[in-house]
Amino acid sequence: MVRIGTVAYLATHPTQLRSIIQWKVWHTPVHERDESKECESLKRCFHFLQETSRSFAAVILELHPELLVPVTLFYVILRGLDTIEDDMTIPLEKKEPLLRNFDQILDQDGWTFTENGPNEKDRQLLVEFNVVIEEFKKLKPAYQTIIKDITKRMGNGMADYCSNAEHNEVGVNTIKDYELYCHHVAGIVGEGCTQLFVEGGLANPALLRRPELHESMGQLLQQVNIIRDVREDLDDKRRFYPREIWSKHVDTFEDLFKPENKEKALAVNSEMILNALQRADDCLYYLAGLKEQSVFNFCAIPQSMALATLELCFQNYDVYLKNVKITKGDACQLMTESTQNLQLVCEVFKRYTRKIHKRNNPNDPNFLKISIACGKIEQFVETIFPSQKAPIDAKKNPASAEEAERSRKEAEETKWDNIYMVIAVVLTISIITGLMLIAAWLAGARFDIAIHQFKEQLGNFLGSGGELRNATSTVAATPSSPGHSEL
Amino acid sequence: MSVPQKITSLGKVVVVGGCGFLGHHIVKLILERLPASQISVLDLRTTANRQDSPTVSYHDGDISDLDAMQAFFAKTKPDVVIHTASPHFHLPAAVHDKVNVTGTKNLLKAAQDSGVKAFVYTSSASVVLGPHTELVNADETWPLVTGDAQPEYYTTTKAYAESAVLEANRTPTSFLTCAIRPAGIFGEGDIQVLPPMINTYRTGKNKFQIGENENLFDFTYVGNVAYGHLLAAQALLHTHRILPTVPLDSEKVDGEAFFITNGQPVYFWDFIRAVWHAAGDRTKLSQVWHLDKDFAYVIGTVMENLFWVLGKKPTLTRAQARYSTMHKYHSIKKANARLGYKPLVDLEEGIKRGVQYILDQDEKAAQKKGQ
């Protein structure tokens, strides 16, 4: 299973290997599904989840028990919708009503669909769609309503695109169209997920009052996919890069891929990435509204991956030549970092933001806009996790010229206070000493003798000291001090 | 606060320093957005940056002369005073004292005596910047850095003036004041930001970068700063209108200071590169030499001393090395919430206008020479 190339790569990239091992060894799921309590039809639904999704199955399976089944069913239902939309062997007149009425299908016991082309990857899901419907009926009514509503809106959106000849021929026209497309395929999903989280009591209900936040969650993921898959989509004759962006540089979309247009292709690349990058701070804001760890992980992992992918694609001409992908090691590191807390995810965002900024080309038409977008992410992270507090020590600085003058005077005054104090002490000691001396004199003390002896002793001391100093140069001095003998 | 929009005229407004860089942009914006206002520009010299409009009058005057100010205010009887006058950064300390501190106090006295309703003072974002700290998303809760702690005497005097203005708020109760703290003002006619940058490019020093360029910096287009002043004046007039009702603490504008920036902090060298690009530079990132921050600081020290001996201006100073590697950006949430401030002109457009202005000036100068 493991390819030689992979082994060689990991052997030469030990940090990557380390990340993989760390993830495999240390990651413990927040919640685990309990297979023993599942009925056959539910097991089948989980089977389809794992069959149809590469990246999402892992995070969905670790979700809180309250949301595990609703989100799984939400995912496979939308995947069913997608399987009909993608299948070019189904004629439009058959496809359109199916898409538009898919929400009603969820009420039809035993509904299955066998008319997908034989090459359609996920056709088996629709062949056995009755199990999904069976499980859907068991959901809490509130979850059913949410899922149905999103299914209906998404189905209608898809039907609109299928029947829109212009969209199919020339692709997306304006940036607005592009964002609308992303809204229909991803933004709505963000809305549905948010409603499920809030309904399940695992997210802050305030998230529903800020629709632009979950919209950005969906937009960022979808836009990153579109940016990364541009080559694959071209080969499949699909174009999602809006004309409004590429037409500034080339005449036809295919021209973007010509080697002589490399500079232009990179300019298009940075404008596409700028558009996605401007959503990043909203995503962090959204993540701050999630209350439960498994829900946080479910949302944070894809976002971190998206930002890392964005960085990988930025100013990377390979995007136009082949499929680019973040390495397994990086993915594992990102998963480890995205399953802890918001602060660490903010660090991830900041790290990739700076990497993007480092490669920002001053001659690119969107140079400054990208710089501003990066700065905005950094500033946002600072607003939720400030790295610096307002200094307190500066509070005693004078606020006005008067105050400065006052504190200067005060300092001056204290200085004089200290001087007066010293003078007072010295004066007091002198007076007391004087009084004592006078008292002694009155009592008959002979100061003249005392002074004479003092002088003598001092002279002796200095004299012998001088001798000592001279003697050190020779050997040892004779310590015969007359002062001592007197004692 | 959504109410200030109702104020559609500033009435009689005195713009002190209205022929200066920021001041004349304020005059222009008042003409544009609040055309019913009667504008009197007071400046030391009123020959430059004049607007040709019947609603603007120009008056020469020195704000350090209290008697002259009182006479002028008694005659003009303004409703609003916008005080933007400030000496050039490099002038001696005595000038800063005279203009920023004494001048501002004279204006306050004259305004209080003549029944002015609203007084808006142009302070500086640097009043909270100390020699050892960086400003990372700093807000108005940061304390002033003045006196011995403030290495720039100019900034100390700006802070003292700001305090004087805010302390005068509501004395008398009908006199309302606030302060605007702009950061890194640039635009048409600036002398401190764009011209030195363009000069660096033209002398071929654009191939160097000090530090990692990970420091975010606030630069603010002059039109946005002017807009902040207008909003502040309008908000004060609104508060004046509802007197004696005092606004909630969370909505209060009078007696408050506000950071005003473009709300678009960018990496320091990115801003410079964008300016250079607008001036014609096409240097690639791979051609740029990176100087280590500490190394640049050492070079700056050596240069300063060497050039001091030679009696010239050094090409790299320690202050430059510091400024180009430090974070200096602010939060404008307070201005947004209380003044309804949102920048009118984005950074890119601001650079375009500012650089174009310099290119045009140069072309005019070249034509004159050619004649």
Side-chain angles (χ1 to χ4, degrees):
Chain A
M1 292 286 275
V2 180
R3 295 209 325 273
I4 305 277
T6 316
V7 176
Y9 177 81
L10 290 177
T12 48
H13 295 79
T15 53
Q16 297 269 325
L17 181 62
R18 184 167 178 262
S19 298
I20 296 172
I21 293 172
Q22 279 190 339
W23 171 253
K24 302 262 158 162
V25 173
W26 298 114
H27 174 70
T28 40
V30 194
H31 306 284
E32 266 173 295
R33 75 180 248 243
D34 185 0
E35 270 192 80
S36 61
K37 287 186 191 150
E38 292 168 1
C39 63
E40 277 314 306
S41 54
L42 185 56
K43 277 188 186 150
R44 200 64 192 149
C45 288
F46 281 122
H47 166 78
F48 283 124
L49 170 69
Q50 280 155 313
E51 283 289 296
T52 54
S53 132
R54 287 154 295 180
S55 43
F56 277 106
V59 277
I60 292 178
L61 289 174
E62 289 185 14
L63 270 175
H64 190 280
E66 175 65 26
L67 287 179
L68 174 65
V69 181
V71 173
T72 303
L73 293 179
F74 188 32
Y75 185 86
V76 290
I77 288 167
L78 295 185
R79 179 54 80 165
L81 199 60
D82 203 37
T83 307
I84 294 174
E85 188 220 10
D86 271 356
D87 194 338
M88 290 305 163
T89 67
I90 305 172
L92 183 64
E93 55 280 13
K94 188 160 182 70
K95 191 188 272 188
E96 200 183 330
L98 267 175
L99 293 174
R100 290 201 194 277
N101 301 319
F102 206 75
D103 61 307
Q104 290 160 27
I105 286 169
L106 298 175
D107 290 330
Q108 298 174 25
D109 286 331
W111 185 89
T112 58
F113 185 72
T114 52
E115 288 160 66
N116 270 117
N119 294 329
E120 199 55 38
K121 183 169 66 67
D122 296 328
R123 77 184 302 278
Q124 193 59 30
L125 167 65
L126 288 169
V127 170
E128 294 177 50
F129 205 70
N130 54 325
V131 294
V132 178
I133 294 171
E134 204 177 318
E135 284 303 319
F136 180 74
K137 282 198 304 188
K138 295 182 199 163
L139 289 180
K140 284 184 192 164
Y143 294 146
Q144 287 193 29
T145 314
I146 295 167
I147 295 175
K148 256 192 189 168
D149 172 53
I150 302 295
T151 307
K152 186 179 173 66
R153 282 158 62 193
M154 196 156 171
N156 275 320
M158 284 174 168
D160 290 345
Y161 285 106
C162 283
S163 54
N164 182 342
E166 195 208 353
H167 176 79
N168 296 322
E169 301 248 320
V170 293
V172 184
N173 201 5
T174 63
I175 295 175
K176 230 176 138 193
D177 292 343
Y178 163 70
E179 288 181 342
L180 192 65
Y181 173 79
C182 292
H183 168 73
H184 277 117
V185 298
I188 296 181
V189 184
E191 185 182 336
C193 286
T194 311
Q195 288 174 355
L196 291 176
F197 301 155
V198 171
E199 186 62 44
L202 304 179
N204 189 335
L207 285 180
L208 290 177
R209 292 197 295 273
R210 295 288 302 268
E212 73 278 11
L213 298 183
H214 56 68
E215 179 68 27
S216 284
M217 291 287 282
Q219 288 276 347
L220 183 67
L221 297 188
Q222 189 61 30
Q223 291 194 17
V224 169
N225 283 345
I226 288 174
I227 291 164
R228 183 197 55 197
D229 295 339
V230 64
R231 179 78 222 186
E232 203 184 314
D233 285 337
L234 176 85
D235 295 341
D236 292 345
K237 305 206 164 29
R238 282 181 305 211
R239 303 158 197 185
F240 296 110
Y241 280 35
R243 170 191 287 268
E244 189 181 341
I245 290 180
W246 57 256
S247 65
K248 287 180 202 162
H249 307 279
V250 287
D251 296 330
T252 71
F253 186 64
E254 284 71 17
D255 284 351
L256 270 184
F257 298 82
K258 291 182 179 159
E260 67 267 28
N261 291 331
K262 187 174 169 181
E263 289 278 308
K264 293 171 179 171
L266 286 176
V268 170
N269 170 274
S270 43
E271 187 165 348
M272 290 294 293
I273 285 173
L274 167 66
N275 223 309
L277 198 61
Q278 285 167 335
R279 303 274 183 173
D281 54 328
D282 274 355
C283 295
L284 290 175
Y285 202 159
Y286 180 91
L287 292 177
L290 302 176
K291 291 185 199 161
E292 201 266 341
Q293 185 72 50
S294 73
V295 173
F296 178 81
N297 297 356
F298 172 73
C299 295
I301 292 177
Q303 295 297 333
S304 298
M305 298 278 188
L307 207 71
T309 307
L310 210 55
E311 186 271 326
L312 177 69
C313 294
F314 183 63
Q315 292 285 303
N316 180 357
Y317 189 64
D318 279 352
V319 173
Y320 291 98
L321 306 176
K322 60 185 185 198
N323 225 337
V324 296
K325 239 182 136 182
I326 47 176
T327 63
K328 185 96 196 284
D330 285 347
C332 284
Q333 192 192 346
L334 285 165
M335 287 197 287
T336 308
E337 288 169 321
S338 309
T339 47
Q340 324 281 327
N341 55 53
L342 183 60
Q343 189 157 19
L344 207 54
V345 174
C346 283
E347 284 306 311
V348 171
F349 268 53
K350 208 165 132 182
R351 187 168 78 228
Y352 284 100
T353 299
R354 288 208 172 156
K355 281 183 165 182
I356 289 175
H357 150 62
K358 278 277 151 75
R359 289 209 302 280
N360 197 6
N361 171 13
N363 299 319
D364 187 283
N366 287 294
F367 170 71
L368 196 65
K369 288 203 180 79
I370 291 170
S371 186
I372 291 168
C374 291
K376 195 171 155 215
I377 298 172
E378 289 211 33
Q379 185 174 26
F380 183 77
V381 172
E382 279 295 333
T383 56
I384 33 181
F385 300 111
S387 64
Q388 201 183 28
K389 276 195 187 126
I392 330 157
D393 59 321
K395 282 236 164 78
K396 46 186 185 298
N397 290 336
S400 63
E402 290 77 30
E403 207 177 294
E405 182 62 20
R406 218 178 304 135
S407 57
R408 198 186 58 76
K409 272 192 187 144
E410 266 170 31
E412 188 81 347
E413 267 171 31
T414 18
K415 195 179 88 189
W416 278 109
D417 280 353
N418 288 337
I419 292 172
Y420 291 145
M421 184 71 83
V422 170
I423 292 173
V425 168
V426 169
L427 221 64
T428 314
I429 291 174
S430 315
I431 291 169
I432 292 171
T433 315
L435 287 175
M436 284 168 77
L437 288 175
I438 290 170
W441 179 75
L442 288 174
R446 290 288 305 271
F447 291 117
D448 49 343
I449 298 176
I451 289 169
H452 176 75
Q453 281 193 346
F454 175 75
K455 271 185 181 165
E456 212 168 56
Q457 287 199 4
L458 192 72
N460 288 339
F461 177 73
L462 290 176
S464 67
E467 267 169 37
L468 265 173
R469 248 178 275 123
N470 294 335
T472 43
S473 56
T474 56
V475 198
T478 37
S480 62
S481 154
H484 287 164
S485 61
E486 252 174 60
L487 288 167
Chain B
M1 283 217 303
S2 52
V3 208
Q5 273 80 1
K6 284 188 195 156
I7 307 281
T8 50
S9 160
L10 298 182
K12 279 189 270 179
V13 51
V14 170
V15 181
V16 184
C19 291
F21 164 50
L22 170 62
H24 91 274
H25 280 276
I26 291 178
V27 174
K28 249 163 81 176
L29 206 65
I30 297 174
L31 283 174
E32 215 177 284
R33 299 184 70 97
L34 304 165
S37 318
Q38 281 291 327
I39 309 168
S40 307
V41 170
L42 178 74
D43 211 317
L44 208 49
R45 280 172 297 274
T46 53
T47 47
N49 296 324
R50 291 174 76 107
Q51 307 299 320
D52 187 19
S53 161
T55 53
V56 189
S57 57
Y58 286 87
H59 312 269
D60 287 20
D62 182 354
I63 59 171
S64 61
D65 179 352
L66 179 60
D67 293 340
M69 287 305 110
Q70 281 178 316
F72 174 75
F73 274 65
K75 201 178 74 195
T76 322
K77 295 225 163 295
D79 301 296
V80 176
V81 175
I82 298 178
H83 170 26
T84 74
S86 204
H88 196 279
F89 190 81
H90 299 294
L91 291 171
V95 182
H96 295 317
D97 269 333
K98 194 173 134 197
V99 180
N100 285 344
V101 184
T102 315
T104 302
K105 281 183 185 163
N106 290 346
L107 287 173
L108 283 170
K109 178 89 177 71
Q112 284 163 322
D113 292 351
S114 62
V116 166
K117 298 172 184 166
F119 190 105
V120 181
Y121 175 64
T122 315
S123 179
S124 159
S126 299
V127 292
V128 296
L129 176 67
H132 307 298
T133 46
E134 296 185 276
L135 298 184
V136 180
N137 206 26
D139 63 18
E140 290 84 353
T141 61
W142 281 55
L144 297 174
V145 180
T146 59
D148 297 337
Q150 177 56 262
E152 307 289 355
Y153 192 68
Y154 168 83
T155 309
T156 291
T157 57
K158 286 302 276 189
Y160 289 167
E162 182 193 290
S163 302
V165 169
L166 298 184
E167 263 168 38
N169 183 45
R170 292 192 184 258
T171 38
T173 38
S174 61
F175 181 64
L176 304 175
T177 68
C178 75
I180 297 294
R181 297 174 177 171
I185 316 180
F186 73 96
E188 303 96 315
D190 95 71
I191 30 178
Q192 303 201 28
V193 177
L194 295 181
M197 287 181 184
I198 302 245
N199 191 37
T200 314
Y201 162 57
R202 288 188 178 155
T203 49
K205 293 184 202 99
N206 57 331
K207 306 259 186 316
F208 293 96
Q209 171 188 308
I210 303 168
E212 294 295 313
N213 192 21
E214 284 183 347
N215 52 317
L216 290 169
F217 222 88
D218 265 330
F219 293 95
T220 313
Y221 176 66
V222 61
N224 295 330
V225 179
Y227 181 52
H229 284 76
L230 259 62
L231 290 176
Q234 284 169 288
L236 291 182
L237 283 182
H238 176 260
T239 310
H240 193 274
R241 192 182 272 178
I242 60 167
L243 277 172
T245 313
V246 179
L248 294 174
D249 273 357
S250 58
E251 292 180 351
K252 207 161 126 306
V253 172
D254 62 288
E256 301 284 331
F258 299 91
F259 285 124
I260 290 288
T261 75
N262 243 58
Q264 298 174 307
V266 281
Y267 303 97
F268 183 84
W269 292 94
D270 281 10
F271 181 83
I272 296 193
R273 292 212 176 91
V275 170
W276 290 343
H277 191 275
D281 183 26
R282 295 295 176 267
T283 309
K284 287 181 183 156
L285 217 48
S286 54
Q287 294 168 292
V288 176
W289 281 59
H290 290 237
L291 287 184
D292 183 71
K293 179 174 151 183
D294 299 324
F295 180 67
Y297 198 79
V298 172
I299 298 204
T301 316
V302 174
M303 291 272 234
E304 278 176 48
N305 289 310
L306 196 70
F307 278 78
W308 180 77
V309 172
L310 297 172
K312 284 183 188 168
K313 227 181 137 221
T315 40
L316 176 67
T317 62
R318 276 174 294 180
Q320 282 172 323
R322 177 165 182 251
Y323 268 103
S324 56
T325 55
M326 71 181 285
H327 280 294
K328 188 181 179 293
Y329 71 101
H330 317 77
S331 163
I332 52 166
K333 278 200 175 145
K334 187 175 170 187
N336 182 272
R338 301 194 193 185
L339 301 177
Y341 170 74
K342 262 189 196 133
L344 294 175
V345 178
D346 100 313
L347 210 54
E348 200 156 21
E349 174 65 21
I351 291 177
K352 217 170 94 187
R353 291 186 193 177
V355 172
Q356 193 55 48
Y357 177 85
I358 294 177
L359 299 181
D360 289 349
Q361 295 291 105
D362 291 353
E363 199 174 323
K364 270 184 214 159
Q367 273 173 0
K368 257 188 196 168
K369 252 187 194 171
Q371 276 163 7

